[in-house]
Amino acid sequence: MKYGHFDDANKEYVITNPQTPFPWINYLGNEDFFGLVSNTAGGYAFYKDAKFRRLTRYRYNNIPMDNGGRYFYIKDEDTIWSPGWKPVKTPLDKYECRHGLSYSKITGVKNGVSAESTFFIPLKTWAEVHHLKLTNDSDSVKKLKLFSFMEWCLWNAEDDQNNLQRNLNTGEVEVEGSTIYHKTEYKERRNHYAFYSVNTPINGYDTNRESFVGLYNELSGPQAVLDGKPHNSEAHGWSPVASHYIEVELQPGEAKDFIFVLGYVENPEEDKWESKGVINKKPALAIQQKFDTAEKVENALAELKSYWENLLSIINLESKDDKLNRMVNIWNQYQCMVTFNMSRSASFFEVGIGRGMGFRDSNQDLIGFVHQVPERARERIIDIASTQFPDGGCYHQYQPLTKRGNDAIGGGFNDDPLWLILGTVSYIKETGDFSILDEMVPFDNDESIAQSLFDHLTISFNHVIKNLGPNGLPLIGRADWNDCLNLNCFSTNPNESFQTTENNTKGSKAESVMIAGLFVVYGTDYVELCEKLGKTDEAARAKSEVNKMAEAVKSKGWDGEWFLRAYDFYGNKVGSDENEEGKIFIESQGWCTMAGIGKDEGMCEKSLDAVKERLDCEYGIVLNNPAFTRYVVEYGEISTYPKGYKENAGIFCHNNPWIMIGETRIGRGDRAWEYYQKICPAYLEEISDLHRTEPYVYAQMIAGKDAYIPGEAKNSWLTGTAAWNFYAITQFILGVRPEYEGLLVDPCLPKAMEEYQFTRKFRGATYKINIVNGERGHGVKALSINGNKVDGNLIPLQKAGGVYQVEVIMY
Ligand code: GLC
Ligand code: GLC
């Protein structure tokens, strides 16, 4: 069953039933200031860091789910309703939510009144705009009472929930004109406050939650709304909120616009105050003035739309498959921007408190984003590398506000350093900007021990070969990409986290075949980079290490029919036919086949056939098989999950594209395409009931074949799945890949795909590449640029500014 439909022309998903199988959300904001908004106007806003600068409150895992947001209450005689259906839940005559690119438009119609609310964050602005348009479509005069409502968070989202003995005393507000200011802690160490304004005179307000809602009421029926009048309350401590009250009279056919602005302001120390105890409001008023008419707001929204038009024009596909087009051209790219911005910090599943920007995750996010805004990718690479340790090891994450690394979600993951090579190389291939390698980058944010970014890459490469185990394979550390394969934790205490508990690497023989494959892939990239830079000795040294690793995998990492996953602490095989459960894992099949290890000996083909036979199912490829049914202390968290979920035989969508790419390496386009479609949200729209998460974005996990309900997805939005699927479909299946010297055209297609046009803006030129499939579906037979034949399948760089027509005929 569907709950809406795609509107490709407007680049929107249109939800027509508010009772979606889970809140279906969207993101507002592109840089610095962000908001999340659900299809019923739930969600929250923050500046840069969802933990340290949270503007509005949101309670996770609430009853019902998704309570709190930017709410409007309309009282029309005795009927009270909300344009987004919630929180009042009065049945609407019409409901529609259009989630677009960085904006959402939610419309409710009741008893002849239409309320259209558009939420967005204008470019380069630290504020959300909520444009509410009320229209009287009835033939009688309407006298409406309008209430806005949102609840302030006392800035630190974690402390806000925990430290009530303090926090119930600290809340402070000011009200001036139609603006409610939130200034908790401004008088001491904070240089920032927030405000919620409206561009029209108000007839009252509330800033104290209890006065507005009532101590025993719920958000569906606040006392002030029931009474039809506010209390003009001023919060001192307790829970500060912001609610405007406006009396609206509409003649038949008349419409009125109300522009609410939820903003964030920072003032320099010497300019904090207007007078004693009265905050300096100038910057806030300036923001309000920029958006005080419907016309100004519509212009700002138009600017935002053209910003996205521009970004999305860099890669564009025209094929006969609408679902594929809308994923490649709109939604997958959009999700890549969101994952780049948020890493794994703030979604409806990630509370924005524990997790910041991940070393491993953010590097991988770059492969789906670097073509969009390369300058931001560049800055990100430097920020990430700045948290690396001098020995190549890494903080697993850093806080976006402070850019300082922390080990709040663990450390000692031995795959981490290699992802920096991926991030950097992807950036250089996209831009040709080798100068990034010369940037001086600190270790652990200590400028005094800075070295060049290139040195960081060398140190990353060396970190692997300095940490090899008894079989010549990389030691796993706490874990590799799979955070839950904890081979050195041996945890028996339910009160400790597998991610942060002691990591017993001393005497451990735990080695990872996945890191070995990863090393062959990114070690080879490193070798190529050294060659490009003329560092031939270093290239030769690195190459021999890479070859050694590939040999070690062939002799010690092969189980006969597939690649082993690892060796445990004691040196026993993990992911072998010898094991009772967890005989085969996806990660090592993905990485070793992407690396092409043992390809000539038939290992890649065998490995991928084993994936098909043992791991594939109706909804995607599961992580391992058989699923674990008991706790294995020497494996850790993976065996804590019920079978079929998360890392224990769930379809962990992030790794499915590794198999797709592996399949393209051996020329099996039909297989790669089949795997692509299985987890791609646009193809799952019809089964939204089962799938549950948004049909326009990927989820981290879909319950696997062993689960209680196979096919149910969880953790949508913030997942490496976005970047990896975009990378797999555009660069390996459709096959247009940036290389140092140009664009490589190397598709591996399903037989059924006949022809498509792939437009690529690359280093200043535009390439319109028309690809005609052949019998085999891979291998380029002929390539021409503007009618001139080119040997091979590389489009060499053309003059910037030009538009080039490229014709490609495949075998
Ligand atoms: C989560 C983490 C990621 C990890 C993956 C597998 O998505 O963010 O870092 O690789 O789980 O455990
Ligand atoms: C684990 C999750 C994994 C995540 C890790 C770190 O509980 O299963 O996906 O990467 O925690 O947050």
Side-chain angles (χ1 to χ4, degrees), residues 702-714:
I702 301 172
K705 57 184 172 179
D706 309 286
Y708 182 58
I709 305 180
E712 264 184 354
K714 292 195 185 102

Side-chain angles (χ1 to χ4, degrees), residues 344 350 355 360-361 396 409-410 413 481-484 497-499 637 640-641 646-647 652 700 715:
R344 303 296 168 271
E350 299 282 9
R355 313 218 316 175
R360 159 207 297 149
D361 290 327
H396 202 43
I409 56 159
F413 298 89
W481 170 87
N482 188 336
D483 282 349
C484 297
S497 140
F498 288 94
Q499 307 297 323
E637 189 166 357
T640 66
Y641 284 115
K646 290 280 283 178
E647 280 89 341
F652 212 93
Q700 180 203 59
N715 291 16

Side-chain angles (χ1 to χ4, degrees), residues 220-449:
S220 54
Q223 198 58 49
V225 180
L226 296 176
D227 294 347
K229 61 170 192 302
H231 298 88
N232 297 338
S233 60
E234 198 180 300
H236 292 273
W238 300 110
S239 292
V241 300
S243 171
H244 305 91
Y245 169 68
I246 305 168
E247 291 168 1
V248 186
E249 189 174 307
L250 291 174
Q251 301 303 313
E254 192 186 358
K256 277 188 182 155
D257 294 284
F258 301 89
I259 293 144
F260 295 84
V261 178
L262 166 63
Y264 171 87
V265 162
E266 284 184 359
N267 274 333
E269 189 58 37
E270 62 286 1
D271 248 346
K272 277 177 82 167
W273 304 101
E274 194 178 294
S275 59
K276 190 161 190 279
V278 179
I279 61 179
N280 171 8
K281 306 192 177 67
K282 262 190 238 127
L285 295 172
I287 299 178
Q288 291 166 27
Q289 214 189 0
K290 276 178 83 176
F291 307 106
D292 59 0
T293 66
E295 201 193 341
K296 290 185 193 173
V297 168
E298 274 149 24
N299 287 339
L301 186 60
E303 262 178 46
L304 181 64
K305 286 187 184 174
S306 75
Y307 167 82
W308 269 109
E309 285 292 324
N310 244 329
L311 285 185
L312 296 181
S313 70
I314 298 165
I315 291 182
N316 191 272
L317 171 71
E318 278 172 53
S319 79
K320 293 195 180 113
D321 183 336
D322 288 343
K323 295 182 174 122
L324 177 63
N325 293 343
R326 69 171 64 111
M327 286 312 298
V328 170
N329 296 337
I330 308 170
W331 293 100
N332 198 176
Q333 294 204 54
Y334 180 53
Q335 189 179 3
C336 285
M337 162 76 91
V338 172
T339 57
F340 171 83
N341 284 336
M342 301 287 134
S343 194
R344 303 296 168 271
S345 67
S347 72
F348 268 30
F349 306 89
E350 299 282 9
V351 301
I353 288 175
R355 313 218 316 175
M357 314 302 286
F359 196 100
R360 159 207 297 149
D361 290 327
S362 290
N363 271 305
Q364 292 174 78
D365 291 343
L366 287 171
I367 63 177
F369 172 78
V370 64
H371 66 284
Q372 295 186 23
V373 195
E375 312 77 59
R376 292 188 67 202
R378 191 183 206 274
E379 183 189 349
R380 177 63 51 79
I381 292 166
I382 307 284
D383 287 348
I384 297 173
S386 305
T387 64
Q388 192 171 28
F389 298 120
D391 74 348
C394 309
Y395 275 120
H396 202 43
Q397 67 168 8
Y398 70 92
Q399 236 21 72
L401 192 70
T402 61
K403 298 194 174 177
R404 291 289 180 277
N406 67 56
D407 46 20
I409 56 159
F413 298 89
N414 280 351
D415 63 314
D416 269 340
L418 285 174
W419 301 110
L420 185 62
I421 301 181
L422 166 68
T424 308
V425 164
S426 305
Y427 169 79
I428 301 175
K429 286 188 174 172
E430 179 66 37
T431 58
D433 171 21
F434 284 89
S435 78
I436 191 175
L437 295 170
D438 302 325
E439 290 286 334
M440 292 303 278
V441 180
F443 289 97
D444 196 3
N445 290 106
D446 181 348
E447 296 284 350
S448 73
I449 48 171

Side-chain angles (χ1 to χ4, degrees), residues 511-524:
E511 298 170 285
S512 163
V513 178
M514 177 193 157
I515 302 183
L518 195 68
F519 180 78
V520 175
V521 173
Y522 298 125
T524 303

